[in-house]
């Protein structure tokens, strides 16, 4: 039986990681940039000039920072790095979805993926980003789980996914979701540092409700999220309303039980007074029975939530995607919950860019 390791980074590890990556300019919050600039003997206002150049003007070389003197630009170019992710593969779907494969470090062979998902009406434009290379968990319906875990992405690699995708598609995202490769709560500090930059009005200026952090159910991460009063939307990949059934498809149930997870979810809605999202991958003969629906309705009635249902996109273990009729029947069974329910369908399925399909291959 698989045992789930606890990969949550300690405060000491996070500080050590920050020191090790101190030469990377992207991915630093304004406070971190001010500390770095002051350590160079420069005035703190220089940090804001750099911050603005990176995230508003989207500069990629020190030569572009003309608000800085030539000597300072030379000094910074010798001691810091403005990194830019390199696209290894770019695929376009017939529905407008685009998938990007990036390499974490040039020549490292460690690849991860991001997806650009425009809505049909052109209003909502979402970027689904990764937080790890591979994943620390083994959700049976997810292709990423079939890859070996190769490490956490740094904050600059997370932020640069948005910058590079927007540059290539020539448009700006309205929403960002941490639902790509990896478990965000197992890379908590880098994820939250990146989210702060995405949210900052002086940087990428995305509203907090437009940034979604999705977890498979890492309860200690959720409780840290609550304690820190993070302003972002929280989504939980639920996928089964019964502990035994959930354990069959998500090994995280061995470490964090469903009752424990739901307790944390209730605390989130009670303390932060915000709605939580439950993600539910629909798998025929696994989690779509009338009894499963009844139990899911019971859960939904206990707290302020909405439910996003997602038809299965992978075909592991002989599982199959539900038919439209099966989806409609299941949705009718959920109506007594009297909560918002959204069928997310599967944009980008033809390029393996849909939910559960991200598994970078050379």
């Amino acid at each position: 039986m698989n045992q789930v390791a606890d990969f949550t980074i300690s405060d000491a590890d996070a500080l050590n990681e920050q020191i090790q990556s101190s030469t990377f300019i992207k991915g630093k919050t304004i406070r971190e940039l001010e500390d770095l600039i002051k350590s160079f003997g420069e005035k703190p206002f220089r940090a804001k000039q750099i911050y603005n150049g990176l995230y508003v003007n989207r500069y990629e070389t020190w030569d572009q920072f003309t608000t800085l003197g030539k000597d300072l630009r030379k000094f910074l170019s010798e001691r810091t790095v403005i990194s830019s992710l390199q696209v290894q593969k770019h695929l376009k779907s017939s529905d407008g979805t685009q998938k990007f494969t990036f390499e974490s470090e040039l020549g490292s062979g460690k690849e991860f993926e991001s997806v650009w998902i425009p809505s049909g009406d052109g209003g909502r434009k979402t970027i689904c980003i990764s937080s790890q290379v591979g994943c620390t968990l083994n959700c049976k319906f997810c292709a990423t789980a079939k890859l070996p875990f190769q490490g956490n992405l740094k904050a600059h690699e997370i932020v640069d996914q948005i910058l590079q995708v927007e540059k290539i598609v020539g448009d700006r995202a309205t929403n960002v979701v941490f639902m790509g490769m990896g478990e965000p709560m197992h890379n908590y500090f880098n994820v939250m540092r990146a989210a702060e930059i995405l949210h900052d009005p002086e940087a990428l200026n995305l509203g907090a409700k437009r940034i979604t952090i999705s977890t498979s159910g890492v309860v200690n991460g959720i409780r840290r999220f609550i304690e820190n009063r993070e302003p972002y939307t929280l989504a939980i990949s639920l996928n089964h309303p019964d502990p035994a059934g959930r354990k069959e498809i998500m090994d995280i149930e061995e470490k964090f039980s469903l009752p424990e997870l739901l307790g944390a979810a209730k605390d989130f809605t009670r303390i932060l007074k915000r709605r939580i999202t439950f993600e539910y991958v629909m798998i025929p003969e696994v989690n779509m029975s009338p009894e499963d629906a009844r139990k899911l309705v019971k859960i939904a009635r206990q707290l302020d939530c909405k439910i996003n249902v997602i038809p299965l996109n992978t075909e592991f273990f002989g599982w199959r995607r539900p038919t439209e009729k099966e989806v409609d029947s299941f949705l009718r069974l959920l109506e007594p919950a009297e909560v918002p329910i959204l069928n997310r369908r599967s944009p980008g399925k033809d390029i393996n860019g849909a939910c559960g399909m991200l598994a970078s291959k050379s």
Side-chain angles (χ1 to χ4, degrees):
M1 187 174 292
N2 292 322
Q3 295 297 315
V4 182
D6 186 357
F7 282 88
T8 304
I9 309 175
S10 68
D11 290 338
D13 288 336
L15 180 60
N16 183 53
E17 186 174 39
Q18 180 182 338
I19 292 170
Q20 289 178 343
S21 63
S22 62
T23 57
F24 287 98
I25 292 296
K26 279 183 185 175
K28 289 194 179 298
T29 65
I30 185 61
R31 295 182 303 278
E32 291 169 337
L33 266 181
E34 286 173 350
D35 290 342
L36 181 65
I37 291 302
K38 284 191 286 187
S39 75
F40 291 155
E42 292 291 332
K43 300 291 185 182
F45 78 88
R46 294 296 186 193
K48 188 170 183 180
Q49 291 177 314
I50 295 171
Y51 196 69
N52 181 270
L54 288 172
Y55 303 121
V56 177
N57 298 320
R58 310 289 179 102
Y59 294 155
E60 295 186 339
T61 69
W62 283 117
D63 289 339
Q64 294 174 292
F65 287 79
T66 54
T67 53
L68 307 178
K70 188 175 294 185
D71 290 343
L72 178 55
R73 277 181 275 160
K74 183 176 185 296
F75 177 89
L76 291 171
S77 69
E78 292 171 348
R79 290 163 176 79
T80 65
V81 175
I82 302 178
S83 58
S84 292
L85 293 172
Q86 301 300 308
V87 177
Q88 303 300 311
K89 187 180 291 185
H90 178 196
L91 299 175
K92 297 182 180 181
S93 168
S94 57
D95 62 24
T97 301
Q98 299 184 48
K99 185 172 75 168
F100 302 84
T101 301
F102 296 107
E103 192 169 9
S104 62
E105 297 173 11
L106 196 59
S108 70
K110 297 179 180 179
E111 296 181 341
F112 56 94
E113 296 179 337
S114 309
V115 185
W116 169 265
I117 311 168
S119 64
D121 60 7
R124 184 184 179 99
K125 292 165 281 193
T126 301
I127 302 180
C128 177
I129 60 174
S130 297
S131 56
Q132 296 181 313
V133 182
C135 189
T136 52
L137 300 176
N138 185 26
C139 299
K140 291 187 176 180
F141 49 82
C142 182
T144 307
K146 308 305 176 187
L147 301 176
F149 173 65
Q150 297 186 71
N152 290 327
L153 293 178
K154 305 295 192 297
H156 68 89
E157 294 172 310
I158 297 173
V159 171
D160 206 29
Q161 290 175 66
I162 291 92
L163 298 179
Q164 296 305 321
V165 168
E166 290 185 340
K167 177 183 175 182
I168 294 168
V169 302
D171 203 349
R172 296 293 172 90
T174 61
N175 297 75
V176 170
V177 294
F178 287 78
M179 294 181 183
M181 298 170 67
E183 166 54 61
M185 293 298 182
H186 284 168
N187 190 14
Y188 187 92
F189 294 99
N190 281 310
V191 164
M192 295 307 162
R193 188 179 296 126
E196 180 179 339
I197 294 168
L198 301 184
H199 177 43
D200 189 348
E202 300 294 326
L204 273 69
N205 194 28
L206 277 175
K209 291 183 179 179
R210 294 181 177 273
I211 300 169
T212 300
I213 314 295
S214 178
T215 177
S216 296
V218 180
V219 173
N220 55 4
I222 295 172
R223 295 210 170 277
R224 187 191 292 271
F225 193 99
I226 297 169
E227 181 181 349
N228 292 345
R229 295 187 174 271
E230 307 288 3
Y232 318 111
T233 297
L234 181 66
I236 292 176
S237 188
L238 188 64
N239 304 315
H240 208 293
D242 179 77
R246 193 167 190 265
K247 186 176 180 179
E248 288 296 315
I249 61 175
M250 300 180 72
D251 66 342
I252 194 170
E253 180 69 23
E254 298 172 21
K255 184 171 181 63
F256 297 112
S257 70
L258 183 58
E260 188 180 1
L261 173 60
L262 295 178
K266 290 175 185 176
D267 286 344
F268 173 89
T269 59
R270 177 180 59 84
I271 296 172
L272 300 186
K273 303 189 185 310
R274 301 208 305 269
R275 174 177 286 169
I276 202 164
T277 298
F278 288 124
E279 306 281 351
Y280 199 92
V281 175
M282 296 178 291
I283 311 172
E285 288 84 50
V286 175
N287 64 359
M288 294 180 68
S289 71
E291 179 65 10
D292 293 329
R294 186 187 67 79
K295 290 180 178 180
L296 183 54
V297 166
K298 183 178 179 180
I299 289 172
R301 283 176 164 176
Q302 296 174 15
L303 70 170
D304 184 13
C305 71
K306 70 175 182 178
I307 301 173
N308 286 348
V309 295
I310 309 155
L312 178 71
N313 290 310
T314 54
E315 297 178 349
F316 306 126
F317 309 105
W319 292 342
R320 63 175 176 83
R321 182 180 176 85
T323 65
E324 288 292 334
K325 184 177 179 180
E326 287 172 322
V327 171
D328 290 341
S329 296
F330 188 66
L331 291 179
R332 283 197 296 273
L333 292 172
L334 297 182
E335 287 176 0
E338 297 182 340
V339 301
I341 300 173
L342 173 67
N343 181 357
R344 276 180 45 196
R345 305 186 187 278
S346 300
K349 192 172 186 295
D350 57 331
I351 57 170
N352 290 331
C355 182
M357 300 184 78
L358 299 192
S360 180
K361 300 174 184 177
S362 298

